């Protein structure tokens, strides 16, 4: 068999572990050929690839990033994207393509699959927002990094007698905020799924100070927003240069809470540090299993599917199902954490 | 409601997180009283306890160990253990008891439950060998510690051109060996569920050297044993002083592999470092959720049950079911890893 | 002997290790009494203190923050600050005061010492800017945290093919930038001691891309500024709400470099995470030694002094000398790093 | 200039950082040629080497091990070792050789230097036992790994109410034991420099239990021995198979202390995990500076010297001086720690 693999979208700890696992399983066990497309879909569309043998994946298991590079190019961006992909697959004699990526990548994977290409997707997102799988690799690492930062910030908040508003990743979903906030014992957690009421939030923090505590930690997902009318909010939050990237809910919350509480409040934005570097053991295991099972799916002809974790098993789910909805934090999970603050 | 909580058995990262979560949910939300028994079942049998309010659990979420202490005392060890427990529960006016522990503890919990006491168990084991739950807290931390050690040992094995036999915890099951070996890219993994053939193992390592590699890492669970007749094996592995604790499969394997391969082989025994210290974010979240749901079960009168993780949900399973069998590494999980070595 | 100890100024990993060491040495060995003033100089000025025995310092060695609390109150802020301090010292029968703090704290210590109070200072600064000592505790932890973040950011910068401008602490000196940048292999390091020329910096990064590299990491100390006339620079860098805290050189640099290079550039501001949490082993050892030697100095009547590291020895230096100048990065240290970028 | 570099002896975190720094400084700044000998002195003696350009050292700064390999081969082991080295140096047109290694390596370096070869040594030892330099890279990492393990072991010792005897590296000197024991707050530290009296040690631990504590941690360097006649001691400590590697002072101490104290005592042997893996930021900085200064020394013709840390400066010391004595733990350092236990 001849298999092509590619990584697409943002950085995510575990990408190299998947690539390595695909190559180990395919080359060492099945005697397959594996090639890797460079910079994601761009490599497929431009037929830019390199051979992946066992040596090519030596020592990469624990390394962050992706040896194949990535980009945000999508086949749908080109008028003839699907046709070009089909042509290169035929030219290269590929029997299977394993794209590793997030929601956008999986949508592209579905598009190509619907066009008849032999695709087995591997889901990737630090945000944990892909439906049909209990978890994806990268998320555990992101939560671990955020939790370690929160552990450190707690002693500083306490020494300085401050409110710290810590912004973690999560544009559409609050999974990282929920898990890292729960793991670190945050005193309030604010997620995009549930627009916050600034009065309520402020009262919650105030209650903590009234109970004699000298500091508070609020974890907020970057995509969190106030309930309509709850407070002035700079939507999109542009900075003085007009760049969206510098704005943030944490800074606006810090200003607002400082005013209301009469306590020093500071924003800390964890940023990219959550999505890079060596994966946790958990993510390495999950990534390795996904790679292994993607090759098995290819050999069984299970195309148009995506690997997924269900309980302790790796299963396959239709790509169509996986990209239909975003997996958001359900109300009962939020309830769990609200009560232990 | 009045709730008693206790921790029993060996150390396990996340015990304090469960205790804290029980107190937060019970005291802060339900207005319950919570007491903690000192040193596990001993505290219940001798009525040695202390009040647990919110202050008592401040700052313990990320700390290893257990603020309540632990012991290996079991109610069944005393002729009148069950009666004494029943008596103290009545005297103290307890409406629920939440024992947190491993297989032995849960068996004791079942015994007391069968005798009519209101029990909700919380499973705990770094070994991941409790059936009926996908995972227990402590396991992820143990795997993480072992993986970090393996990452470090790899560079040393390579520099020294050696075979390193790394012994990890797991007397009856190979979960820690499987996951840490997979996460660190070990070249062979040896588990108790599948007695090893020394010829096969030796050939596998030899093949690696023949392929030009200069070192090898073998991960072995402490309870692994050779297939009958495969090699001389000091069962129980006593040391020169007659203590079982110093023996180990790794040392015997190192001697054997060094002889067979003509390469320096060394044993490294990770030991207790795997079961102590601060829990990973994953384990803190799981422990916190278990604590929360144990309190909910108590309030709903769901006694004789144990909290369990199924997929992403916390559910309840009968104690009877949980202690019936040990959860061992199934063949297909072992197959996954065998092929990527 | 009766000794008072206090911690003043910003959070710094190792404060608790000093407190513990003072108590161990004074109480356990010399049979002294030790009291701890609450919230730094405020505690001394308002006679707010608590007894510190061996139990009071149990388990704090590895914990971040300070069990005594801190504040930015200084004796010089009160008209009668020195007299009040003198009065409380007399009332409490103190034979020595050990203030642990940074430049401001040591200046206050000198003031009180000049007024005749028996002071032995212990220097503390994550910034490493106190003269007369090779290093202070807290710095190694800050550098470690920043380096770990940079390690992670490198893979993300590479995957995303970006320039990342990473802002680390250092308002007046570039020690953290220098050491973390050197440790992580940054491609440019910008420090306050040497105002940067934006053309030069931009060319350096451009040269890297021209050499075929796909990303770059620039580490910048928060206090770094451009050479006069080199680029438009928002001094003080206020944000849209008029708060100084949200501005930063990294963001301005990101905008400028993106424009000049035509590559995506992003700012990451590590912030408070550098100054909290558990200290490294290095910092715990240094802090413990400082505490031990401060007690010895008190017992020998060496007042008006500060503990200092010189080579591998702990010595005493006059407070007057310590606070005279700020320790800045010397040119030859900068030269070392410039060449290995 | 043409420079040859090699790494010799046991693994030590920071070796790759030195190699990288040598290449960066020599190639990028001075326009030198650099070659790396494979497997230490063996490479020089057999003229086995490879070119080291900037690409060859890309991405190795943070990696453990050595890209050049290592071995324990020494020129003095061959009758004509010095002459062969001289011949290869002439054939290759080398202007300088930079060997990176420990005591044995530096002795060989001195031998070659005395024979007229242009040598600049770089000291390396996780044990910190090389005289003439305040510290060497690798030590801080080893102490960090041991301290992290001790942090974890403390909670387990406490939960299990045990004495843990933790054996760390240090055959001839107790630096790792001293620093990790001090950093983790061990209750007794046993070093080779000061043979222990088992009665004294046992009483110290007993005193702790009498004071109401429930556990104790004893850190012991692998080379520690009892005072003559103090207790039966298996010198060399061979195991049942006659291998020296499995014996250990920790196990013998555990047996002895368990007998005397009537408390469970267990040995934990940290082993190779202390000498591998990614270096701490501290070690990366020191290693990088050593490499830079070694190249400078070569360019200034300062041969027969070794780089050394003195305070905050990198200086050069004669190889002759460096290998004359072993740097042992002085009495006053031991006194510092004894009092804070």
């Amino acid at each position: 068999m001849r298999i092509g693999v590619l990584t697409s979208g943002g950085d995510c700890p575990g990408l190299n572990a998947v690539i390595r696992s695909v190559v180990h399983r395919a080359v060492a066990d099945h005697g397959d050929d594996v090639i890797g497309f460079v910079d994601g879909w761009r490599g497929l569309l431009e037929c830019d690839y390199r051979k992946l043998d066992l040596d090519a994946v030596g020592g990469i298991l624990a390394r962050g990033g992706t040896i194949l590079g990535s980009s945000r190019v999508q086949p749908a961006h080109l008028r003839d994207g699907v046709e070009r992909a089909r042509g290169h697959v035929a030219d290269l004699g590929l029997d299977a393509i394993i794209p590793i990526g997030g929601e956008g990548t999986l949508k592209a994977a579905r598009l190509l699959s619907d066009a008849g290409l032999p695709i087995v997707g591997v889901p990737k997102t630090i945000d944990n927002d892909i439906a049909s799988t209990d978890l994806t690799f990268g998320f555990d690492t992101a939560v671990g990094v955020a939790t370690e930062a929160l552990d450190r910030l707690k002693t500083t908040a306490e020494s300085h007698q401050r409110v710290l508003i810590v912004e973690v990743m999560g544009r559409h979903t609050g999974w990282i905020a929920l898990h890292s906030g729960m793991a670190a014992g945050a005193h309030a957690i604010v997620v995009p799924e549930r627009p916050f009421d600034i009065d309520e939030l402020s009262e919650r923090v105030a209650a903590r100070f009234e109970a004699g505590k000298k500091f508070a930690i609020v974890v907020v997902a970057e995509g969190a927003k106030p309930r309509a009318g709850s407070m002035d909010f700079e939507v999109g939050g542009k900075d003085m240069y007009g760049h969206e990237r510098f704005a943030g809910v944490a800074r606006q919350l810090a200003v607002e809470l400082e005013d209301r509480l009469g306590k020093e409040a500071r924003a800390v934005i964890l940023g990219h540090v959550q999505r890079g570097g060596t994966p946790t053991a958990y993510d390495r295991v999950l990534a390795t299993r996904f790679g292994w099972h993607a090759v098995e799916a290819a050999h069984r002809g299970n195309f148009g599917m995506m690997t997924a974790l269900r309980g302790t098993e790796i299963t396959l789910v239709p790509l169509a199902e996986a990209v239909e909805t975003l997996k958001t934090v359900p109300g009962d999970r939020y309830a769990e954490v609200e009560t232990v603050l």
Side-chain angles (χ1 to χ4, degrees), chain A:
Chain A
M1 210 165 178
R2 191 146 208 244
I3 299 176
V5 63
L6 62 86
T7 53
S8 176
D11 195 17
C12 182
L15 289 170
N16 281 327
V18 181
I19 296 169
R20 171 183 174 274
S21 179
V22 165
V23 172
H24 274 251
R25 180 61 176 168
V27 174
D29 294 343
H30 289 292
D32 298 337
D33 272 345
V34 180
I35 62 170
F37 290 105
V38 177
D39 294 343
W41 295 116
R42 191 197 62 74
L44 174 57
L45 295 171
E46 301 181 3
C47 210
D48 183 3
Y49 66 94
R50 54 200 184 84
K51 195 177 160 54
L52 291 179
D53 56 16
L54 293 174
D55 279 347
V57 297
I60 68 168
L61 169 56
R63 264 189 244 163
T66 160
I67 59 165
L68 293 177
S70 181
S71 70
R72 299 200 181 264
V73 174
Q74 300 284 5
H77 293 174
L78 278 77
R79 190 187 297 263
D80 62 345
V82 173
E83 286 323 298
R84 284 172 70 169
R86 193 201 308 279
H88 295 317
V89 166
D91 294 348
L92 293 165
L94 289 181
D95 304 300
I97 306 167
I98 301 178
I100 311 164
E103 208 210 347
T105 305
L106 297 173
K107 281 189 174 152
R110 189 193 171 183
L111 181 75
L112 295 182
S113 177
D114 287 351
L117 294 180
I119 305 266
V120 183
V122 172
K124 171 225 80 165
T125 158
I126 61 159
D127 290 334
N128 193 33
D129 57 3
I130 297 179
S132 310
T133 180
D134 285 356
L135 274 176
T136 47
F137 62 89
F139 174 66
D140 188 64
T141 303
V143 170
V145 169
T147 301
E148 206 179 305
L150 287 165
D151 282 351
R152 290 197 175 275
L153 291 169
K154 264 189 147 171
T155 77
T156 298
E158 189 169 15
S159 298
H160 293 195
Q161 308 189 7
R162 277 181 183 163
V163 180
L164 285 186
I165 321 295
V166 186
E167 187 174 310
V168 299
M169 286 193 160
R171 300 213 158 191
H172 306 294
T173 61
W175 289 106
I176 294 177
L178 180 77
H179 278 238
S180 64
M182 197 180 216
H187 309 109
I189 297 175
V190 183
V191 298
E193 289 89 339
R194 180 190 270 213
F196 63 89
D197 182 291
I198 187 66
D199 295 325
E200 221 176 273
L201 181 62
S202 176
E203 275 155 33
R204 174 189 281 266
V205 178
R208 188 171 151 81
F209 282 101
E210 276 152 29
K213 306 293 183 181
K214 295 184 161 181
F215 74 104
I217 300 281
V218 177
V219 176
V220 54
E222 59 185 334
K225 288 191 176 59
R227 198 175 296 165
S230 159
M231 69 177 260
D232 282 344
F233 192 74
E234 188 88 10
V235 182
K238 299 210 173 53
D239 81 340
M240 54 185 153
Y241 300 96
H243 287 74
E244 190 176 1
R245 64 187 177 232
F246 299 151
V249 59
R251 283 186 220 123
Q252 300 190 49
L253 264 177
V255 171
E256 190 75 23
L257 287 175
E258 185 163 304
D259 283 354
R260 286 163 175 259
L261 296 165
K263 304 275 176 191
E264 277 196 345
R266 292 287 180 274
V268 177
I269 297 152
L270 295 185
H272 283 75
V273 79
Q274 295 162 83
R275 70 179 319 134
T278 192
T280 58
Y282 186 97
D283 280 338
R284 297 188 205 172
V285 169
L286 184 55
T288 298
R289 296 184 74 194
F290 273 176
W292 196 94
H293 284 272
V295 172
E296 293 313 288
H299 272 269
R300 290 199 207 101
N302 282 331
F303 297 114
M305 307 295 273
M306 174 189 93
T307 58
L309 176 71
R310 293 276 174 88
T312 60
E313 301 298 315
I314 309 297
T315 59
L316 295 173
V317 295
L319 281 167
E321 181 189 312
V323 299
E324 225 157 62
T325 53
L326 211 61
K327 183 173 66 180
T328 53
V329 176
D332 60 337
R333 284 303 308 279
Y334 197 81
E336 278 175 19
V337 80
E338 198 161 40
T339 61
V340 293
L341 296 178

